[in-house]
Amino acid sequence: MIHSSIGVVIPTFQAAKHLPHCLPPLLQSPLKPRILIIDSSSTDGTVEMAREMGVETLVIPQSEFNHGTTRERGRQYLRTPIVVMMTQDAYAASPHMLEHLVKPILEKKASIAYARQLPHKGSG
Protein backbone atom coordinates (compact mmCIF):
# COMPACT_ATOMS: atom_id res chain seq x y z
CA MET A 1 0.00 0.00 0.00
CA ILE A 2 1.70 3.23 -1.13
CA HIS A 3 0.37 6.54 0.14
CA SER A 4 2.27 9.49 -1.29
CA SER A 5 -0.30 11.48 0.65
CA ILE A 6 1.51 10.81 3.93
CA GLY A 7 4.52 12.79 5.11
CA VAL A 8 6.62 12.63 8.26
CA VAL A 9 8.42 15.69 9.65
CA ILE A 10 11.24 15.19 12.16
CA PRO A 11 13.10 18.23 13.48
CA THR A 12 16.63 17.24 14.46
CA PHE A 13 19.72 18.55 16.21
CA GLN A 14 22.78 16.39 16.85
CA ALA A 15 20.61 13.33 16.11
CA ALA A 16 23.15 10.95 14.53
CA LYS A 17 22.82 8.55 17.48
CA HIS A 18 19.02 8.50 17.11
CA LEU A 19 18.55 8.13 13.33
CA PRO A 20 19.54 4.42 13.17
CA HIS A 21 16.66 3.73 15.58
CA CYS A 22 14.15 6.36 14.50
CA LEU A 23 14.22 6.07 10.70
CA PRO A 24 14.25 2.34 9.78
CA PRO A 25 10.68 1.56 10.89
CA LEU A 26 9.45 4.59 8.94
CA LEU A 27 11.47 3.66 5.87
CA GLN A 28 10.13 0.08 6.09
CA SER A 29 6.51 1.22 6.41
CA PRO A 30 4.22 -0.28 3.77
CA LEU A 31 2.76 3.23 3.40
CA LYS A 32 6.06 4.52 1.93
CA PRO A 33 5.71 8.03 3.38
CA ARG A 34 7.82 11.01 2.40
CA ILE A 35 10.15 11.65 5.33
CA LEU A 36 11.65 15.07 5.94
CA ILE A 37 14.38 15.88 8.44
CA ILE A 38 14.63 19.57 9.31
CA ASP A 39 18.02 19.91 10.92
CA SER A 40 19.19 22.85 13.03
CA SER A 41 22.76 22.84 11.68
CA SER A 42 24.05 19.70 13.43
CA THR A 43 27.77 19.02 13.43
CA ASP A 44 27.61 15.28 14.21
CA GLY A 45 26.79 13.96 10.73
CA THR A 46 23.01 13.96 11.19
CA VAL A 47 22.26 15.42 7.75
CA GLU A 48 24.71 13.21 5.91
CA MET A 49 23.36 10.10 7.65
CA ALA A 50 19.75 11.04 6.87
CA ARG A 51 20.60 11.60 3.21
CA GLU A 52 22.46 8.28 3.02
CA MET A 53 19.35 6.60 4.43
CA GLY A 54 17.26 8.18 1.64
CA VAL A 55 15.47 10.83 3.65
CA GLU A 56 14.76 14.35 2.41
CA THR A 57 16.55 17.07 4.40
CA LEU A 58 16.34 20.79 5.02
CA VAL A 59 19.01 22.56 7.08
CA ILE A 60 18.17 25.70 9.00
CA PRO A 61 20.33 27.87 11.25
CA GLN A 62 20.02 26.80 14.89
CA SER A 63 18.86 30.34 15.71
CA GLU A 64 15.80 29.88 13.44
CA PHE A 65 14.50 26.76 15.19
CA ASN A 66 11.07 27.17 16.75
CA HIS A 67 8.91 24.18 17.71
CA GLY A 68 5.80 25.39 15.89
CA THR A 69 7.29 27.35 12.99
CA THR A 70 9.82 24.66 12.10
CA ARG A 71 7.13 21.97 11.96
CA GLU A 72 4.88 24.23 9.89
CA ARG A 73 7.77 24.80 7.48
CA GLY A 74 8.05 21.02 7.11
CA ARG A 75 4.32 20.65 6.51
CA GLN A 76 4.43 23.31 3.80
CA TYR A 77 7.51 21.73 2.23
CA LEU A 78 5.95 18.25 2.02
CA ARG A 79 2.49 19.44 0.94
CA THR A 80 1.02 16.04 1.77
CA PRO A 81 -2.61 15.88 2.98
CA ILE A 82 -1.52 13.93 6.06
CA VAL A 83 1.58 14.91 8.04
CA VAL A 84 2.90 12.98 11.02
CA MET A 85 5.03 15.07 13.38
CA MET A 86 7.71 13.12 15.25
CA THR A 87 10.82 13.81 17.28
CA GLN A 88 14.30 12.40 16.75
CA ASP A 89 14.11 10.27 19.88
CA ALA A 90 10.69 8.74 19.12
CA TYR A 91 11.35 5.23 17.86
CA ALA A 92 8.46 3.39 16.23
CA ALA A 93 8.15 -0.12 17.62
CA SER A 94 7.02 -1.49 14.24
CA PRO A 95 7.04 -0.60 10.55
CA HIS A 96 3.23 -0.70 10.87
CA MET A 97 3.07 2.16 13.38
CA LEU A 98 2.17 4.72 10.71
CA GLU A 99 -0.60 2.51 9.33
CA HIS A 100 -2.19 2.23 12.76
CA LEU A 101 -1.75 5.92 13.45
CA VAL A 102 -3.30 7.26 10.24
CA LYS A 103 -5.95 4.57 9.70
CA PRO A 104 -8.76 6.59 11.38
CA ILE A 105 -7.82 9.59 9.23
CA LEU A 106 -7.75 7.59 5.98
CA GLU A 107 -11.11 6.07 6.91
CA LYS A 108 -12.46 9.58 7.57
CA LYS A 109 -13.32 8.62 11.16
CA ALA A 110 -10.98 11.27 12.62
CA SER A 111 -9.23 14.45 11.58
CA ILE A 112 -6.28 14.05 13.97
CA ALA A 113 -4.60 11.13 15.68
CA TYR A 114 -1.84 10.73 18.22
CA ALA A 115 0.23 7.92 19.66
CA ARG A 116 1.64 7.24 23.07
CA GLN A 117 5.44 7.38 23.28
CA LEU A 118 7.22 5.00 25.60
CA PRO A 119 10.70 5.91 26.84
CA HIS A 120 13.50 4.13 25.01
CA LYS A 121 16.40 2.41 26.69
CA GLY A 122 18.81 4.95 28.08
CA SER A 123 16.37 7.87 28.15
CA GLY A 124 16.47 10.20 31.10
Side-chain angles (χ1 to χ4, degrees):
M1 180 185 334
I2 297 178
H3 279 278
S4 59
S5 62
I6 298 171
V8 177
V9 173
I10 307 171
T12 59
F13 180 67
Q14 306 295 64
K17 69 180 181 182
H18 294 291
L19 296 186
H21 307 287
C22 172
L23 293 179
L26 301 173
L27 293 166
Q28 296 164 5
S29 169
L31 296 180
K32 304 296 181 205
R34 285 183 64 195
I35 303 168
L36 174 65
I37 295 286
I38 302 180
D39 188 74
S40 298
S41 301
S42 294
T43 58
D44 68 345
T46 295
V47 174
E48 295 79 7
M49 182 182 292
R51 288 177 180 158
E52 286 173 13
M53 294 177 83
V55 173
E56 296 178 62
T57 60
L58 287 177
V59 178
I60 63 172
Q62 190 175 3
S63 61
E64 287 183 18
F65 175 80
N66 172 288
H67 287 283
T69 305
T70 301
R71 285 171 174 80
E72 176 62 12
R73 184 174 182 173
R75 188 195 66 78
Q76 289 178 1
Y77 176 92
L78 289 175
R79 296 200 175 282
T80 55
I82 298 173
V83 180
V84 175
M85 301 291 180
M86 293 186 66
T87 60
Q88 66 190 30
D89 61 347
Y91 307 160
S94 159
H96 299 285
M97 181 275 297
L98 284 178
E99 289 175 278
H100 297 301
L101 182 64
V102 302
K103 183 179 179 184
I105 297 169
L106 293 173
E107 292 176 348
K108 305 215 182 295
K109 293 180 179 177
S111 56
I112 62 169
Y114 64 93
R116 180 174 68 142
Q117 181 180 348
L118 300 174
H120 57 82
K121 185 176 181 176
S123 63

